[in-house]
Amino acid sequence: MSFESNFILDKLPEHLKQYIKPQNYEDYSPIDQAVWRYVMRKNVDYLSKVAHKSYLEGLNKTGISIDYIPNMYGMNRILKEIGWAAVAVDGFIPPSAFMEFQAYNVLVIASDIRQLEHIEYTPAPDIIHEGAGHAPIIANPEYAEYLRRFGEIGCKAISSAKDYELYEAVRHLSIIKEAEGTPQEDIDKAQKKIEDLQLNMGEPSEMALIRNLHWWTVEYGLIGTVERPKIYGAGLLSSIGESAWCMTDKVKKIPYSLEAAHTSFDITQPQPQLFVTPDFAYLNQVLEEFANTMSLRQGGLSGLEKLINSKEMGTVELSTGLQISGHFESAIAHEGKPVYLQTKGNTALAYREKELIGHSIKQHPNGFGAPIGKLKGINLAIEDMSPRDLKAYNIYEGEKVDLEFIGDIKVSGEIITGTRNLKGEIILITLANCTVTHNDKILFHPDQGLYHMAVGENIVSVFNGPADLKSFDLVTHKVTDTTLKSAKTAKRKQLEQLYKQVREFREGKNVTISRNKVFQEIKANHPEDWLLSVELYELAKNNGDGIFAKDLKAHLEALKLQKPQLGHLIDDGLELVDKSLVV
């Protein structure tokens, strides 16, 4: 395995484990560590005033250090105490998989860290966003349950065929935008593709709508009152720029409601409005409201049509509890209700998320068709018939039958046996020499073998994915783009070495280095680097070296004039140092 497991991770199904990758802690450079430390010091200083109280409490509970990028193994030893775990992944993973991890109480952490050039914000998920944003808040039990429940419901949402295309486009943009040296025209082209896709998505899918809810709560949520909100969303907690921006009057604050599901977002821009929930319990209330609108709870023809249009694997559950999983190809409707459904390729049958014996994909490799509804002229549904009723209507082993359903579906053949659920209701009737027709069209021919007729008056639930995860081989993930790592130049390696020397001096591991010599190296060979000079300024002030501190500050002031865009970052770094010295 590429990760160290524990009792929480042991419960993950194999198809989720395919996304996990090693963290490779030794790959983090001294510059990466300095970026983490700067952002965390700045965040903790500012967020202590504006974040929900669970944030600071959670930093301690989850073992997240201000000075070091968290080691996933160390985090897991602490997270398991609150019933959670963390795994490393490579950037964005499909939304349904991301949510399914949450359903298993597993936090997905993109293990890469943003470049110094993108220290305030990156469109790519990184360990600052995931580790410093998501992890602390899950120490709050009520919020942690919301996250788990969200994952449980969200992974059942049905996608549209265009959703995955948009996910791939966003993943591609996030990778090339964070990669060093990507030509601007490539970024512009990728950005344009996303914009074009977003303009032509059509009716938003369930996944698109629940992804909106996730964005406006888990990522960009505020809590409290509209007048005096606090931050709990990970996107805000991990962005030193947007966490301050969102508290200004320039960002509209709206009471959180189901309307958030219909409010789209742009991942590349600061958000113009944010939603405020009164408390974490209310998040669950809105989530359940949304779940009531999903095919998961609505079922019916509309749910079946959504699944057909998605072209993804899904499950249809009938009123008897019989679950049909596969790729749904077509439906026949009558007066607004489904009267027949058809899958193509591998199909499995289950009851209560457990595959029925003898009804795996080996038994149904060429699809599965099923009538739905009542028999014509008979008010009692087959599933509600007692053994005496079934015999009265000739639905009995060894009998030849001609069953005509409402909607002109006819099933003719010899009944061999029936399968019942735990309630004693018949859920499958197996027939030999069977012909199934709709008007003049043959849907099933005797040459195809035994016909296993599903029994169910209605479709009560339709959802993404198989009923029994073990029924299908789901380890099929193919990554088209992976995070790009540029080869380090000699100059970059030298700069990393300087950062390492300063870190080791601060930690007392090597106090023999000349900090002044490091400063001269920066000015001579790395004049645009600002963060290491801020760290040297911190050491100078802490050691009472006023002259050295003055020289460093003068250098940074000159750098601000050359690079005005760095001004607020430098000022914030100096302010943090000066503030920490005030007793």
Side-chain angles (χ1 to χ4, degrees):
M1 291 189 300
S2 62
F3 60 96
E4 185 179 293
S5 197
N6 59 35
F7 72 93
I8 297 168
L9 297 179
D10 286 343
K11 294 177 183 177
L12 284 176
E14 289 302 314
H15 74 279
L16 289 182
K17 291 179 183 177
Q18 69 187 316
Y19 296 101
I20 302 173
K21 70 164 206 171
Q23 185 184 19
N24 294 332
Y25 195 87
E26 64 281 359
D27 287 350
Y28 296 120
S29 73
I31 299 177
D32 294 333
Q33 295 285 1
V35 166
W36 170 272
R37 184 170 182 267
Y38 177 91
V39 173
M40 289 303 295
R41 291 179 76 216
K42 180 63 186 166
N43 276 2
V44 170
D45 175 67
Y46 176 68
L47 293 173
S48 60
K49 309 178 192 74
V50 298
H52 187 266
K53 63 179 183 179
S54 297
Y55 175 73
L56 290 180
E57 294 171 1
L59 282 177
N60 294 325
K61 286 183 182 177
T62 52
I64 294 174
S65 164
I66 291 175
D67 290 318
Y68 298 95
I69 295 171
N71 184 309
M72 217 73 74
Y73 301 142
M75 273 184 71
N76 272 329
R77 282 194 290 274
I78 299 170
L79 282 173
K80 70 180 181 182
E81 299 301 321
I82 56 174
W84 280 72
V87 294
V89 298
D90 182 21
F92 284 111
I93 64 173
S96 59
F98 182 88
M99 292 185 192
E100 196 174 354
F101 270 109
Q102 286 183 190
Y104 284 91
N105 279 21
V106 175
L107 195 63
V108 174
I109 295 182
S111 57
D112 290 312
I113 187 166
R114 65 195 65 178
Q115 295 179 59
L116 177 55
E117 293 75 19
H118 299 155
I119 195 167
E120 286 192 281
Y121 173 79
T122 173
D126 77 333
I127 197 162
I128 292 178
H129 171 79
E130 313 285 4
H134 286 295
I137 300 295
I138 64 168
N140 179 295
E142 196 164 30
Y143 180 74
E145 173 55 22
Y146 168 69
L147 210 59
R148 187 203 64 78
R149 182 66 172 157
F150 197 107
E152 190 173 53
I153 292 171
C155 70
K156 302 294 185 185
I158 299 171
S159 301
S160 74
K162 289 187 176 181
D163 283 337
Y164 196 78
E165 192 178 353
L166 180 60
Y167 152 73
E168 286 278 321
V170 169
R171 177 179 167 84
H172 175 67
L173 175 65
S174 72
I175 288 171
I176 65 171
K177 206 167 184 180
E178 186 61 26
E180 191 177 346
T182 303
Q184 187 59 43
E185 57 264 31
D186 289 357
I187 294 173
D188 293 342
K189 183 180 177 182
Q191 182 73 54
K192 179 71 164 56
K193 183 176 181 179
I194 291 173
E195 291 168 1
D196 291 344
L197 282 170
Q198 288 176 326
L199 289 172
N200 296 283
M201 292 295 288
E203 186 73 22
S205 67
E206 290 178 354
M207 180 56 78
L209 295 175
I210 203 166
R211 199 169 59 233
N212 287 345
L213 278 187
H214 194 271
W215 181 265
W216 297 121
T217 60
V218 176
E219 297 292 353
Y220 276 78
L222 298 176
I223 188 168
T225 64
V226 170
E227 295 76 25
R228 299 189 68 183
K230 297 285 188 181
I231 296 171
Y232 75 90
L236 296 172
L237 293 173
S238 61
S239 172
I240 56 180
E242 205 156 3
S243 59
W245 162 256
C246 78
M247 285 293 151
T248 68
D249 292 337
K250 293 174 183 175
V251 178
K252 186 178 180 183
K253 316 297 191 299
I254 306 167
Y256 182 58
S257 69
L258 197 54
E259 183 58 32
H262 301 278
T263 305
S264 58
F265 58 89
D266 184 346
I267 195 171
T268 65
Q269 300 294 327
Q271 307 310 311
Q273 84 283 306
L274 295 172
F275 291 88
V276 187
T277 183
D279 47 47
F280 288 139
Y282 188 67
L283 296 178
N284 277 306
Q285 185 177 323
V286 173
L287 177 61
E288 293 300 325
E289 280 182 49
F290 179 79
N292 287 337
T293 71
M294 291 172 61
S295 301
L296 176 68
R297 296 182 183 175
Q298 293 280 320
L301 180 62
S302 64
L304 178 56
E305 288 176 338
K306 283 180 188 176
L307 197 51
I308 291 169
N309 293 333
S310 77
K311 305 190 186 316
E312 296 290 325
M313 181 190 293
T315 297
V316 167
E317 182 175 328
L318 304 181
S319 44
T320 53
L322 179 70
Q323 296 167 316
I324 305 162
S325 298
H327 285 85
F328 287 79
E329 183 178 40
S330 61
I332 299 173
H334 175 74
E335 295 181 350
K337 292 183 177 180
V339 293
Y340 200 83
L341 59 78
Q342 181 68 51
T343 68
K344 63 177 180 179
N346 288 338
T347 305
L349 307 184
Y351 179 72
R352 292 188 176 178
E353 285 73 52
K354 186 175 181 181
E355 183 179 282
L356 290 178
I357 303 291
H359 292 283
S360 69
I361 60 174
K362 289 182 180 178
Q363 281 74 40
H364 304 288
N366 301 311
F368 183 87
I372 305 158
K374 292 180 177 178
L375 296 170
K376 189 177 283 187
I378 301 175
N379 198 38
L380 192 64
I382 293 176
E383 65 206 67
D384 296 326
M385 292 181 181
S386 67
R388 184 177 296 176
D389 294 326
L390 290 168
K391 188 156 190 177
Y393 289 113
N394 228 27
I395 304 173
Y396 203 74
E397 291 175 7
E399 297 289 343
K400 290 183 178 179
V401 293
D402 291 299
L403 304 174
E404 186 174 353
F405 289 81
I406 293 172
D408 299 317
I409 304 293
K410 294 181 181 178
V411 178
S412 302
E414 182 182 336
I415 295 178
I416 296 176
T417 188
T419 303
R420 296 179 181 273
N421 65 15
L422 292 175
K423 295 178 182 177
E425 300 166 337
I426 193 154
I427 60 175
L428 269 179
I429 297 173
T430 301
L431 302 99
N433 302 314
C434 185
T435 301
V436 183
T437 61
H438 175 240
N439 296 325
D440 296 328
K441 183 179 180 182
I442 295 177
L443 304 176
F444 188 90
H445 193 276
D447 291 346
Q448 292 174 256
L450 297 177
Y451 182 69
H452 302 280
M453 188 184 84
V455 176
E457 182 183 356
N458 302 299
I459 292 176
V460 296
S461 181
V462 182
F463 53 87
N464 171 67
D468 187 337
L469 294 173
K470 296 175 183 175
S471 294
F472 296 83
D473 178 10
L474 301 175
V475 186
T476 56
H477 177 58
K478 301 262 191 314
V479 177
T480 53
D481 273 334
T482 54
T483 306
L484 301 174
K485 300 287 188 185
S486 301
K488 292 179 182 178
T489 63
K491 186 176 180 181
R492 177 73 174 189
K493 290 178 181 177
Q494 183 199 37
L495 182 60
E496 288 183 358
Q497 186 61 28
L498 295 176
Y499 270 87
K500 182 182 179 184
Q501 288 176 355
V502 169
R503 171 173 281 271
E504 288 180 345
F505 184 92
R506 185 175 64 246
E507 294 171 351
K509 293 178 182 176
N510 183 2
V511 293
T512 63
I513 67 159
S514 168
R515 289 163 291 143
N516 209 293
K517 188 176 177 182
V518 170
F519 181 40
Q520 299 309 318
E521 286 270 8
I522 293 171
K523 288 196 293 183
N525 300 315
H526 311 281
E528 294 186 352
D529 184 87
W530 60 274
L531 183 53
L532 191 52
S533 293
V534 170
E535 293 208 335
L536 285 170
Y537 177 79
E538 178 187 3
L539 292 178
K541 294 287 280 190
N542 286 341
N543 291 341
D545 194 340
I547 295 174
F548 188 31
K550 190 175 179 181
D551 290 345
L552 285 158
K553 194 165 188 178
H555 168 70
L556 288 166
E557 292 295 337
L559 188 54
K560 281 164 55 178
L561 293 175
Q562 296 168 29
K563 299 268 187 181
Q565 70 272 24
L566 298 177
H568 64 291
L569 293 170
I570 292 170
D571 287 341
D572 288 350
L574 296 176
E575 183 186 349
L576 276 172
V577 174
D578 293 336
K579 190 183 290 185
S580 67
L581 294 171
V582 176
V583 179

